[in-house]
Amino acid sequence: MYLLATHIPFYLDGPRRLTDISWQRDLLLARDWLAPAFGGLTVLGPSLPIEARLAGDLALAPIGDGDGIRVVPSFDLRCRASRFWFAPRRRWMEDVRREVASAAVVHTSAVDDVFRPLPFLAHSAAVRAGVATVMVGPDMDPHVTLPHTLKGRLVGRVFDRLLGKAGRTADLLLLKEGLVFNRYSAGARNVKAFCHSMHRRADVIPEAALERRLATLAEPRPLRALYAGRFITRKGIADSIAAVAAAKRSGATIEYHLFGAGPDEADLRRRADESGVGDRVKFRGFVEYGPEFLARLAEFDVMLFMPTEEDTPRMLYDAMAAGVPLVGSRIPFLEHRASSDRMAELVAIGDAEGAGRVLTGLDADRARLADLSRRARTAGLRHALEEWYGRRMQWTMEAVRRKAAAGCQ
C-alpha cells in the first residue's frame, strides 16, 4: 500500500470522514497517480469532531467513503502541544507502526507544527522499518512566514534540523522550486525540484484560441492585466496598482482586474482612487477555482504580481495555462520561473515605477507581448499536472527500486 501520513485532520461526523476540500483534491490525485502501483492509498492523520470546525473554515468534503481511499483517523488534535508527547504521541506512533508494517511507500509532508511533528515522526518510523520514504517539503520557506521574533527564529532552527535530517534519510525528497529548494536541497540523498500545479492539459488554451486573442492586440484596446488570490499586504497589490498608475502617466492604457478577497480590499480601493486609476482597477470578487475560471483567465493579456517577499502562487501556473505571461517582482520563485520558462519580465521588489515602464513597453510593443504569451502557453503544457504527477510517479518508482536493490545486497 501507499501510506500518506499527514498533519491535516479528518473531521469525524458519525461514520463520515471529511477534510478540507483542497486537501481532498490532492488526495484524489495521489490515489489516481501515485498509489495504484502499490495497492491503493491509505491516509493516516489526526482527528477532530465535526463540532470543532471553526467558523470561516474552508469548505469540507467527504473522504474515504466509496472513493477508493482508506482513511485512518488517529488521536484527537485538540490536545495541547505540551500534552502531545504523552498519550496522543503514543496513539500516533501505534497507528504509524501498524500502518507502516504493511506499506510499500511512506509519503509524508514537512509542512508541520514542530511541537507536534507528526509527519517527521512517521518518516522516522518508516526509515527504521526499512520502508521506502518520500517526503514533500513546505510550500513556503518557513523563515519567510515565521514571525521575526526569538520564538520564530528558534522554531525555524528546529524545522531546519528536522527537514535536514529527513532529507538525509528520505529515499526521495521533493522541494518546491525557488527559495525552498535553494535552502533545503543541500545534503539530501535524492532531491528533486517540483511544482504544485492543478491545471490539466485539457485546461490549457488551444493554440488557435490563443492566436485569436493575440490578433486583437493589433486593435486600439487596453491591455488587460489580472491578479487572482488573497488581498493581503505581502502580495504587493498596492505596488501593482502604483505600477498601473505609472503606466497611465506614461500614456499606456492598462486595465487591472483583481479576483479574490481579503482584509486589504478597502485600502486597495482607496489607493486606486487616490492614484487616479479607480476606473482602471476593477475588483471582480471571489471566483471558485475550476475549469470555468481557467477559461476566464484566457481573456487577459498579462498577470501583474509584485509580492514583497517569497511566494509560490498556483495562479502563475494557471496563468501560463491561459497563455498569460507575467510582470512581477524579483523573488527567488519568480526568478526561477522567468529563467526556466522565459515568459516573464521582472523588476526589483517594490519598484512600481519600473513595473510601470515594463507595462508601458509591452503596450507599445505588442509583438513582444505576443511572443511572451506563446511561451507562457508552452510552459502551461509543460507544467500540467499530468506532466508533474507522471514525473513524481517515475521518481517514486525509481526510489523504491533502489531501496529494494540495496536491501538485497
Side-chain angles (χ1 to χ4, degrees), residues 11 20 52-60:
Y11 290 87
D20 182 285
R53 178 189 177 194
L54 298 175
D57 269 5
L58 293 176
L60 298 180

Side-chain angles (χ1 to χ4, degrees), residues 50-88:
I50 192 66
E51 297 80 13
R53 178 189 177 194
L54 298 175
D57 269 5
L58 293 176
L60 298 180
I63 194 74
D65 184 12
D67 56 16
I69 298 175
R70 178 171 168 260
V71 170
V72 182
S74 189
F75 71 98
D76 191 319
L77 194 57
R78 288 176 296 177
C79 70
R80 296 176 58 184
S82 60
R83 300 297 303 169
F84 165 74
W85 296 94
F86 299 97

